[in-house]
Amino acid sequence: MRQVRSLALIAAMVAGPATAQTYSQCEKSEIAAIAAAVEGAHDLALQASVLVGDTLEYRRWFGDYSRRNGDFLRRNLKSVYKAIVEQEIHSNCRNSIEEACKGGTYAFVNRDTPWVVNFCPLFFGLPTMTGVFPGSRALENGTQEGTIIHEMSHFEETANTDDLCYSRGDCEAMARTDPNGALRNADSYQYYAEDVIFFPPTQ
């Protein structure tokens, strides 16, 4: 079984570290987890943008490849990467009893309030990219790093994505039936970025 690619190797490609962050109502352990996830998402977004092409992973999450659609995805992933590098991300740690954190929510943003990300308690139970293997059932709901990409992609200044499908199964189906929708879907960005780290690009 192939293990996750070394994030240290990926980091060697990175132009600079993620920018400074600020926090509200977060415990020390939560701050450490968010900081690590943002740094990892920075690496994921860059690597994913570099690997956009007519590959199995692209087709799995975005349907039939075209140069136009590939360029669109690459630009958006680079925008997410650039935001993580250049913008100060403000993290709010929310309480599980809040309405916005009910129903299996890991994190959320208001797209008209850029660079503010709200983290629900469930986020801290997600695996990290270095803690799972390809094909693991733990990947069904994604990783902490992937969740950062999901949330950062929502902002108008990055990819302006929506939540058109959730879960790997539903988003794979969307790629087959509605590729344009997949290119506007936050979970599709997340799953693609996670998968290209695990698997060498395949034609």
Side-chain angles (χ1 to χ4, degrees):
M1 182 179 292
R2 288 172 292 185
Q3 296 188 13
V4 62
R5 297 178 190 176
S6 169
L7 291 185
L9 179 62
I10 296 166
M13 302 171 54
V14 178
T19 191
Q21 301 171 59
T22 57
Y23 305 88
S24 294
Q25 299 180 313
C26 297
E27 302 290 339
K28 184 182 253 185
S29 61
E30 294 172 331
I31 290 173
I34 294 169
V38 170
E39 195 68 39
H42 156 279
D43 297 344
L44 280 184
L46 178 63
Q47 181 78 341
S49 69
V50 168
L51 294 174
V52 171
D54 189 5
T55 63
L56 179 64
E57 288 72 32
Y58 179 95
R59 294 191 295 273
R60 181 182 185 188
W61 298 116
F62 301 105
D64 290 338
Y65 177 82
S66 71
R67 183 171 180 178
R68 178 180 179 182
N69 286 352
D71 287 346
F72 178 82
L73 175 62
R74 186 180 298 107
R75 283 195 304 271
N76 284 347
L77 285 167
K78 285 183 177 179
S79 291
V80 170
Y81 162 74
K82 186 177 179 182
I84 295 173
V85 170
E86 296 181 355
Q87 304 299 330
E88 182 175 283
I89 299 171
H90 182 74
S91 300
N92 292 325
C93 294
R94 311 298 287 260
N95 194 297
S96 60
I97 64 173
E98 296 182 58
E99 191 64 34
C101 282
K102 293 180 180 178
T105 300
Y106 297 97
F108 64 94
V109 300
N110 296 315
R111 69 177 69 238
D112 57 350
T113 309
W115 325 132
V116 176
V117 183
N118 300 279
F119 293 92
C120 297
L122 283 178
F123 170 83
F124 302 100
L126 287 171
T128 64
M129 285 294 295
T130 55
V132 289
F133 293 95
S136 169
R137 294 183 69 178
L139 273 174
E140 176 59 25
N141 295 312
T143 63
Q144 291 183 0
E145 297 91 338
T147 299
I148 300 294
I149 289 178
H150 174 121
E151 298 304 335
M152 292 294 288
S153 76
H154 278 316
F155 296 120
E156 293 179 0
E157 292 83 352
T158 55
N160 197 28
T161 58
D162 295 311
D163 291 316
L164 303 178
C165 68
Y166 288 111
S167 87
R168 284 178 165 258
D170 287 349
C171 292
E172 281 189 78
M174 171 175 277
R176 294 190 297 270
T177 61
D178 185 9
N180 288 331
L183 284 165
R184 295 186 292 107
N185 183 61
D187 256 9
S188 303
Y189 282 68
Q190 173 177 344
Y191 297 143
Y192 173 76
E194 291 168 344
D195 280 6
V196 294
I197 298 302
F198 281 126
F199 304 110
T202 50
Q203 299 298 320

Short mmCIF file of all heavy atoms in Angstrom, two decimals, residues 18-42 84 88-94 106-107 115-126 128 143-149 151-152:
data_model
loop_
_atom_site.label_atom_id
_atom_site.label_comp_id
_atom_site.label_asym_id
_atom_site.label_seq_id
_atom_site.Cartn_x
_atom_site.Cartn_y
_atom_site.Cartn_z
N ALA A 18 3.33 29.73 5.26
CA ALA A 18 2.02 30.35 5.45
C ALA A 18 2.18 31.58 6.32
O ALA A 18 3.08 31.67 7.15
CB ALA A 18 1.06 29.35 6.10
N THR A 19 1.30 32.55 6.12
CA THR A 19 1.42 33.82 6.84
C THR A 19 0.99 33.66 8.30
O THR A 19 0.50 32.61 8.71
CB THR A 19 0.55 34.88 6.15
OG1 THR A 19 0.87 36.16 6.69
CG2 THR A 19 -0.93 34.62 6.36
N ALA A 20 1.16 34.72 9.06
CA ALA A 20 0.78 34.70 10.47
C ALA A 20 -0.73 34.52 10.61
O ALA A 20 -1.49 34.89 9.72
CB ALA A 20 1.23 35.99 11.15
N GLN A 21 -1.12 33.97 11.74
CA GLN A 21 -2.54 33.75 12.00
C GLN A 21 -2.91 34.37 13.34
O GLN A 21 -2.05 34.58 14.20
CB GLN A 21 -2.84 32.26 12.05
CG GLN A 21 -2.50 31.51 10.78
CD GLN A 21 -2.62 30.01 10.97
OE1 GLN A 21 -3.68 29.52 11.31
NE2 GLN A 21 -1.53 29.29 10.79
N THR A 22 -4.19 34.67 13.50
CA THR A 22 -4.71 35.12 14.79
C THR A 22 -5.85 34.20 15.19
O THR A 22 -6.45 33.52 14.34
CB THR A 22 -5.21 36.58 14.72
OG1 THR A 22 -6.20 36.69 13.69
CG2 THR A 22 -4.05 37.53 14.41
N TYR A 23 -6.17 34.18 16.47
CA TYR A 23 -7.13 33.22 17.00
C TYR A 23 -8.05 33.87 18.02
O TYR A 23 -7.65 34.79 18.74
CB TYR A 23 -6.40 32.05 17.68
CG TYR A 23 -5.39 31.36 16.80
CD1 TYR A 23 -4.07 31.82 16.73
CD2 TYR A 23 -5.75 30.27 16.03
CE1 TYR A 23 -3.14 31.20 15.91
CE2 TYR A 23 -4.83 29.64 15.20
CZ TYR A 23 -3.53 30.11 15.14
OH TYR A 23 -2.62 29.50 14.32
N SER A 24 -9.28 33.36 18.08
CA SER A 24 -10.24 33.78 19.11
C SER A 24 -10.85 32.54 19.74
O SER A 24 -11.26 31.61 19.03
CB SER A 24 -11.36 34.63 18.51
OG SER A 24 -10.87 35.85 18.03
N GLN A 25 -10.89 32.52 21.08
CA GLN A 25 -11.56 31.49 21.86
C GLN A 25 -11.01 30.09 21.58
O GLN A 25 -11.75 29.11 21.63
CB GLN A 25 -13.07 31.53 21.61
CG GLN A 25 -13.70 32.86 22.00
CD GLN A 25 -15.19 32.90 21.74
OE1 GLN A 25 -15.66 32.50 20.67
NE2 GLN A 25 -15.94 33.35 22.73
N CYS A 26 -9.72 29.99 21.29
CA CYS A 26 -9.10 28.71 21.00
C CYS A 26 -8.18 28.29 22.14
O CYS A 26 -7.41 29.12 22.66
CB CYS A 26 -8.30 28.77 19.71
SG CYS A 26 -9.28 29.12 18.23
N GLU A 27 -8.23 27.02 22.50
CA GLU A 27 -7.29 26.46 23.46
C GLU A 27 -5.92 26.29 22.81
O GLU A 27 -5.79 26.29 21.58
CB GLU A 27 -7.80 25.10 23.96
CG GLU A 27 -9.18 25.14 24.60
CD GLU A 27 -9.18 25.85 25.95
OE1 GLU A 27 -8.09 25.93 26.56
OE2 GLU A 27 -10.25 26.31 26.37
N LYS A 28 -4.91 26.13 23.63
CA LYS A 28 -3.55 25.97 23.11
C LYS A 28 -3.44 24.79 22.14
O LYS A 28 -2.81 24.90 21.08
CB LYS A 28 -2.57 25.78 24.27
CG LYS A 28 -1.12 25.71 23.83
CD LYS A 28 -0.20 25.47 25.03
CE LYS A 28 0.55 26.73 25.36
NZ LYS A 28 1.56 26.53 26.43
N SER A 29 -4.07 23.68 22.47
CA SER A 29 -4.01 22.50 21.59
C SER A 29 -4.75 22.75 20.27
O SER A 29 -4.34 22.26 19.21
CB SER A 29 -4.61 21.28 22.29
OG SER A 29 -5.98 21.50 22.61
N GLU A 30 -5.82 23.54 20.33
CA GLU A 30 -6.57 23.87 19.12
C GLU A 30 -5.75 24.80 18.22
O GLU A 30 -5.74 24.64 16.99
CB GLU A 30 -7.91 24.51 19.49
CG GLU A 30 -8.84 23.54 20.20
CD GLU A 30 -10.10 24.22 20.73
OE1 GLU A 30 -10.03 25.43 21.05
OE2 GLU A 30 -11.13 23.54 20.83
N ILE A 31 -5.06 25.75 18.82
CA ILE A 31 -4.21 26.65 18.05
C ILE A 31 -3.12 25.85 17.33
O ILE A 31 -2.84 26.08 16.14
CB ILE A 31 -3.58 27.72 18.97
CG1 ILE A 31 -4.66 28.70 19.45
CG2 ILE A 31 -2.45 28.47 18.25
CD1 ILE A 31 -4.19 29.70 20.48
N ALA A 32 -2.52 24.91 18.03
CA ALA A 32 -1.46 24.10 17.42
C ALA A 32 -1.99 23.29 16.25
O ALA A 32 -1.34 23.18 15.19
CB ALA A 32 -0.84 23.18 18.47
N ALA A 33 -3.20 22.70 16.41
CA ALA A 33 -3.79 21.89 15.35
C ALA A 33 -4.14 22.75 14.13
O ALA A 33 -3.88 22.36 12.99
CB ALA A 33 -5.04 21.18 15.87
N ILE A 34 -4.73 23.92 14.36
CA ILE A 34 -5.09 24.81 13.24
C ILE A 34 -3.85 25.29 12.52
O ILE A 34 -3.78 25.29 11.28
CB ILE A 34 -5.92 26.00 13.74
CG1 ILE A 34 -7.28 25.51 14.28
CG2 ILE A 34 -6.13 27.02 12.62
CD1 ILE A 34 -8.06 26.57 15.04
N ALA A 35 -2.84 25.70 13.27
CA ALA A 35 -1.60 26.20 12.65
C ALA A 35 -0.97 25.13 11.76
O ALA A 35 -0.53 25.41 10.64
CB ALA A 35 -0.62 26.65 13.72
N ALA A 36 -0.93 23.89 12.25
CA ALA A 36 -0.35 22.80 11.47
C ALA A 36 -1.20 22.51 10.23
O ALA A 36 -0.67 22.24 9.14
CB ALA A 36 -0.23 21.54 12.33
N ALA A 37 -2.51 22.58 10.37
CA ALA A 37 -3.41 22.32 9.25
C ALA A 37 -3.28 23.39 8.17
O ALA A 37 -3.28 23.08 6.97
CB ALA A 37 -4.86 22.23 9.73
N VAL A 38 -3.15 24.64 8.57
CA VAL A 38 -2.98 25.72 7.60
C VAL A 38 -1.66 25.56 6.86
O VAL A 38 -1.59 25.72 5.63
CB VAL A 38 -3.07 27.10 8.29
CG1 VAL A 38 -2.65 28.22 7.34
CG2 VAL A 38 -4.50 27.34 8.79
N GLU A 39 -0.60 25.23 7.58
CA GLU A 39 0.70 25.02 6.94
C GLU A 39 0.63 23.85 5.96
O GLU A 39 1.16 23.92 4.84
CB GLU A 39 1.77 24.76 7.99
CG GLU A 39 3.19 24.89 7.48
CD GLU A 39 3.56 26.31 7.11
OE1 GLU A 39 3.17 27.26 7.80
OE2 GLU A 39 4.25 26.47 6.08
N GLY A 40 -0.06 22.78 6.36
CA GLY A 40 -0.21 21.65 5.47
C GLY A 40 -1.07 21.96 4.26
O GLY A 40 -0.80 21.50 3.15
N ALA A 41 -2.12 22.77 4.45
CA ALA A 41 -2.99 23.16 3.34
C ALA A 41 -2.23 24.01 2.33
O ALA A 41 -2.47 23.92 1.12
CB ALA A 41 -4.20 23.92 3.88
N HIS A 42 -1.36 24.83 2.82
CA HIS A 42 -0.49 25.64 1.96
C HIS A 42 0.29 24.72 1.03
O HIS A 42 0.35 24.93 -0.19
CB HIS A 42 0.40 26.44 2.91
CG HIS A 42 1.71 26.93 2.39
ND1 HIS A 42 2.83 26.13 2.32
CD2 HIS A 42 2.09 28.17 1.99
CE1 HIS A 42 3.84 26.85 1.87
NE2 HIS A 42 3.42 28.09 1.67
N ILE A 84 -3.32 31.81 1.47
CA ILE A 84 -2.72 31.26 2.68
C ILE A 84 -1.35 31.90 2.94
O ILE A 84 -0.97 32.16 4.08
CB ILE A 84 -2.61 29.73 2.59
CG1 ILE A 84 -4.01 29.10 2.55
CG2 ILE A 84 -1.82 29.16 3.77
CD1 ILE A 84 -4.01 27.61 2.28
N GLU A 88 -3.62 37.27 6.39
CA GLU A 88 -3.66 36.86 7.79
C GLU A 88 -4.99 36.15 8.05
O GLU A 88 -6.06 36.76 7.95
CB GLU A 88 -3.53 38.06 8.72
CG GLU A 88 -3.52 37.68 10.20
CD GLU A 88 -3.28 38.87 11.11
OE1 GLU A 88 -2.12 39.31 11.20
OE2 GLU A 88 -4.26 39.35 11.70
N ILE A 89 -4.92 34.89 8.33
CA ILE A 89 -6.13 34.10 8.58
C ILE A 89 -6.51 34.22 10.05
O ILE A 89 -5.67 34.01 10.93
CB ILE A 89 -5.90 32.63 8.20
CG1 ILE A 89 -5.55 32.51 6.71
CG2 ILE A 89 -7.12 31.78 8.54
CD1 ILE A 89 -5.11 31.14 6.29
N HIS A 90 -7.76 34.58 10.29
CA HIS A 90 -8.25 34.67 11.66
C HIS A 90 -9.14 33.46 11.95
O HIS A 90 -10.13 33.23 11.24
CB HIS A 90 -9.03 35.95 11.90
CG HIS A 90 -9.51 36.08 13.32
ND1 HIS A 90 -8.64 36.38 14.36
CD2 HIS A 90 -10.73 35.89 13.87
CE1 HIS A 90 -9.33 36.39 15.49
NE2 HIS A 90 -10.59 36.10 15.23
N SER A 91 -8.78 32.69 12.95
CA SER A 91 -9.51 31.46 13.30
C SER A 91 -10.35 31.67 14.54
O SER A 91 -9.84 32.12 15.58
CB SER A 91 -8.52 30.32 13.54
OG SER A 91 -7.74 30.08 12.38
N ASN A 92 -11.62 31.34 14.45
CA ASN A 92 -12.52 31.34 15.59
C ASN A 92 -12.84 29.91 15.97
O ASN A 92 -13.27 29.12 15.13
CB ASN A 92 -13.85 32.05 15.25
CG ASN A 92 -13.68 33.53 15.04
OD1 ASN A 92 -12.87 34.18 15.69
ND2 ASN A 92 -14.43 34.09 14.10
N CYS A 93 -12.64 29.56 17.22
CA CYS A 93 -13.02 28.23 17.70
C CYS A 93 -14.41 28.33 18.31
O CYS A 93 -14.63 29.09 19.27
CB CYS A 93 -12.00 27.73 18.73
SG CYS A 93 -10.38 27.42 18.00
N ARG A 94 -15.34 27.59 17.74
CA ARG A 94 -16.74 27.69 18.12
C ARG A 94 -17.14 26.53 19.03
O ARG A 94 -16.49 25.49 19.09
CB ARG A 94 -17.63 27.71 16.87
CG ARG A 94 -17.20 28.71 15.81
CD ARG A 94 -17.23 30.15 16.31
NE ARG A 94 -18.58 30.63 16.44
CZ ARG A 94 -19.19 31.41 15.55
NH1 ARG A 94 -18.55 31.80 14.47
NH2 ARG A 94 -20.43 31.82 15.74
N TYR A 106 -17.77 20.74 10.27
CA TYR A 106 -16.38 20.78 10.73
C TYR A 106 -15.86 22.20 10.83
O TYR A 106 -15.10 22.53 11.75
CB TYR A 106 -15.50 19.97 9.78
CG TYR A 106 -15.87 18.51 9.74
CD1 TYR A 106 -16.70 18.01 8.73
CD2 TYR A 106 -15.43 17.64 10.72
CE1 TYR A 106 -17.06 16.67 8.70
CE2 TYR A 106 -15.78 16.29 10.70
CZ TYR A 106 -16.61 15.82 9.68
OH TYR A 106 -16.97 14.49 9.66
N ALA A 107 -16.22 23.03 9.88
CA ALA A 107 -15.78 24.42 9.85
C ALA A 107 -16.70 25.17 8.89
O ALA A 107 -17.41 24.55 8.09
CB ALA A 107 -14.33 24.53 9.40
N TRP A 115 -11.02 35.65 4.96
CA TRP A 115 -9.91 35.17 5.77
C TRP A 115 -10.30 34.87 7.22
O TRP A 115 -9.41 34.65 8.05
CB TRP A 115 -8.72 36.12 5.71
CG TRP A 115 -8.56 36.78 4.38
CD1 TRP A 115 -8.36 38.10 4.14
CD2 TRP A 115 -8.58 36.16 3.08
NE1 TRP A 115 -8.27 38.36 2.79
CE2 TRP A 115 -8.40 37.18 2.11
CE3 TRP A 115 -8.75 34.85 2.63
CZ2 TRP A 115 -8.38 36.93 0.74
CZ3 TRP A 115 -8.74 34.60 1.25
CH2 TRP A 115 -8.55 35.63 0.34
N VAL A 116 -11.59 34.88 7.53
CA VAL A 116 -12.05 34.44 8.84
C VAL A 116 -12.63 33.05 8.70
O VAL A 116 -13.55 32.82 7.90
CB VAL A 116 -13.12 35.40 9.42
CG1 VAL A 116 -13.67 34.86 10.74
CG2 VAL A 116 -12.54 36.79 9.61
N VAL A 117 -12.09 32.08 9.44
CA VAL A 117 -12.54 30.69 9.38
C VAL A 117 -12.99 30.28 10.77
O VAL A 117 -12.28 30.48 11.77
CB VAL A 117 -11.42 29.75 8.89
CG1 VAL A 117 -11.94 28.32 8.78
CG2 VAL A 117 -10.85 30.23 7.56
N ASN A 118 -14.19 29.71 10.85
CA ASN A 118 -14.76 29.24 12.10
C ASN A 118 -14.60 27.73 12.19
O ASN A 118 -14.99 27.00 11.28
CB ASN A 118 -16.25 29.60 12.16
CG ASN A 118 -16.47 31.10 12.07
OD1 ASN A 118 -16.34 31.81 13.04
ND2 ASN A 118 -16.79 31.58 10.87
N PHE A 119 -14.03 27.27 13.29
CA PHE A 119 -13.76 25.86 13.48
C PHE A 119 -14.69 25.28 14.56
O PHE A 119 -14.76 25.80 15.67
CB PHE A 119 -12.31 25.64 13.90
CG PHE A 119 -11.33 25.97 12.81
CD1 PHE A 119 -10.79 27.25 12.72
CD2 PHE A 119 -10.97 25.03 11.87
CE1 PHE A 119 -9.89 27.57 11.71
CE2 PHE A 119 -10.07 25.34 10.85
CZ PHE A 119 -9.54 26.61 10.78
N CYS A 120 -15.38 24.20 14.18
CA CYS A 120 -16.24 23.50 15.12
C CYS A 120 -15.45 22.38 15.79
O CYS A 120 -14.43 21.92 15.28
CB CYS A 120 -17.45 22.92 14.39
SG CYS A 120 -18.51 24.20 13.65
N PRO A 121 -15.93 21.89 16.94
CA PRO A 121 -15.20 20.83 17.64
C PRO A 121 -14.92 19.61 16.78
O PRO A 121 -13.87 18.96 16.95
CB PRO A 121 -16.13 20.50 18.82
CG PRO A 121 -16.81 21.80 19.11
CD PRO A 121 -17.04 22.42 17.76
N LEU A 122 -15.81 19.26 15.85
CA LEU A 122 -15.59 18.08 15.02
C LEU A 122 -14.32 18.19 14.17
O LEU A 122 -13.73 17.17 13.80
CB LEU A 122 -16.80 17.84 14.10
CG LEU A 122 -18.04 17.21 14.73
CD1 LEU A 122 -19.15 17.10 13.70
CD2 LEU A 122 -17.72 15.84 15.31
N PHE A 123 -13.92 19.40 13.84
CA PHE A 123 -12.71 19.58 13.03
C PHE A 123 -11.51 18.90 13.67
O PHE A 123 -10.68 18.28 12.98
CB PHE A 123 -12.41 21.06 12.83
CG PHE A 123 -11.07 21.35 12.21
CD1 PHE A 123 -10.91 21.31 10.84
CD2 PHE A 123 -9.97 21.65 13.01
CE1 PHE A 123 -9.66 21.56 10.25
CE2 PHE A 123 -8.73 21.90 12.44
CZ PHE A 123 -8.58 21.85 11.07
N PHE A 124 -11.41 19.00 14.99
CA PHE A 124 -10.23 18.51 15.69
C PHE A 124 -10.20 16.99 15.80
O PHE A 124 -9.19 16.42 16.20
CB PHE A 124 -10.14 19.18 17.06
CG PHE A 124 -10.07 20.68 16.95
CD1 PHE A 124 -11.20 21.45 17.15
CD2 PHE A 124 -8.89 21.31 16.58
CE1 PHE A 124 -11.16 22.83 17.02
CE2 PHE A 124 -8.83 22.69 16.44
CZ PHE A 124 -9.97 23.45 16.65
N GLY A 125 -11.29 16.34 15.40
CA GLY A 125 -11.31 14.89 15.34
C GLY A 125 -10.98 14.33 13.97
O GLY A 125 -10.85 13.11 13.81
N LEU A 126 -10.84 15.21 12.97
CA LEU A 126 -10.46 14.75 11.62
C LEU A 126 -9.01 14.30 11.61
O LEU A 126 -8.17 14.84 12.35
CB LEU A 126 -10.65 15.88 10.61
CG LEU A 126 -12.08 16.24 10.22
CD1 LEU A 126 -12.08 17.53 9.40
CD2 LEU A 126 -12.74 15.11 9.46
N THR A 128 -5.13 13.92 10.10
CA THR A 128 -4.21 14.77 9.34
C THR A 128 -3.71 13.97 8.14
O THR A 128 -3.84 12.75 8.09
CB THR A 128 -3.01 15.20 10.20
OG1 THR A 128 -2.25 14.04 10.56
CG2 THR A 128 -3.49 15.92 11.46
N THR A 143 -9.58 15.46 5.57
CA THR A 143 -8.53 15.71 6.56
C THR A 143 -8.60 17.15 7.05
O THR A 143 -9.32 17.98 6.50
CB THR A 143 -7.14 15.48 5.94
OG1 THR A 143 -6.96 16.44 4.88
CG2 THR A 143 -7.00 14.06 5.39
N GLN A 144 -7.83 17.43 8.09
CA GLN A 144 -7.79 18.79 8.59
C GLN A 144 -7.22 19.74 7.53
O GLN A 144 -7.76 20.83 7.31
CB GLN A 144 -6.95 18.86 9.87
CG GLN A 144 -7.61 18.17 11.06
CD GLN A 144 -6.81 18.30 12.33
OE1 GLN A 144 -5.75 18.92 12.37
NE2 GLN A 144 -7.32 17.71 13.41
N GLU A 145 -6.15 19.33 6.86
CA GLU A 145 -5.55 20.18 5.83
C GLU A 145 -6.51 20.39 4.66
O GLU A 145 -6.66 21.50 4.15
CB GLU A 145 -4.25 19.55 5.32
CG GLU A 145 -3.16 19.42 6.36
CD GLU A 145 -3.19 18.08 7.09
OE1 GLU A 145 -4.26 17.42 7.12
OE2 GLU A 145 -2.15 17.68 7.65
N GLY A 146 -7.18 19.32 4.25
CA GLY A 146 -8.15 19.43 3.16
C GLY A 146 -9.31 20.34 3.51
O GLY A 146 -9.84 21.06 2.66
N THR A 147 -9.71 20.30 4.78
CA THR A 147 -10.82 21.17 5.22
C THR A 147 -10.43 22.65 5.10
O THR A 147 -11.27 23.49 4.76
CB THR A 147 -11.21 20.83 6.67
OG1 THR A 147 -11.65 19.47 6.72
CG2 THR A 147 -12.33 21.74 7.17
N ILE A 148 -9.17 22.97 5.37
CA ILE A 148 -8.72 24.35 5.19
C ILE A 148 -8.87 24.77 3.73
O ILE A 148 -9.36 25.87 3.41
CB ILE A 148 -7.26 24.51 5.64
CG1 ILE A 148 -7.08 24.14 7.12
CG2 ILE A 148 -6.76 25.94 5.37
CD1 ILE A 148 -7.77 25.05 8.10
N ILE A 149 -8.46 23.90 2.80
CA ILE A 149 -8.60 24.21 1.38
C ILE A 149 -10.07 24.40 1.03
O ILE A 149 -10.45 25.34 0.31
CB ILE A 149 -7.96 23.10 0.52
CG1 ILE A 149 -6.45 23.17 0.66
CG2 ILE A 149 -8.38 23.23 -0.95
CD1 ILE A 149 -5.70 22.10 -0.10
N GLU A 151 -12.55 25.41 2.95
CA GLU A 151 -13.08 26.68 3.46
C GLU A 151 -12.46 27.88 2.75
O GLU A 151 -13.17 28.84 2.41
CB GLU A 151 -12.85 26.77 4.97
CG GLU A 151 -13.55 25.69 5.79
CD GLU A 151 -15.05 25.61 5.56
OE1 GLU A 151 -15.67 26.63 5.17
OE2 GLU A 151 -15.62 24.52 5.78
N MET A 152 -11.17 27.85 2.51
CA MET A 152 -10.52 28.98 1.84
C MET A 152 -11.01 29.13 0.40
O MET A 152 -11.01 30.24 -0.15
CB MET A 152 -9.00 28.80 1.87
CG MET A 152 -8.39 28.91 3.26
SD MET A 152 -8.52 30.57 3.99
CE MET A 152 -7.34 31.48 2.99
#
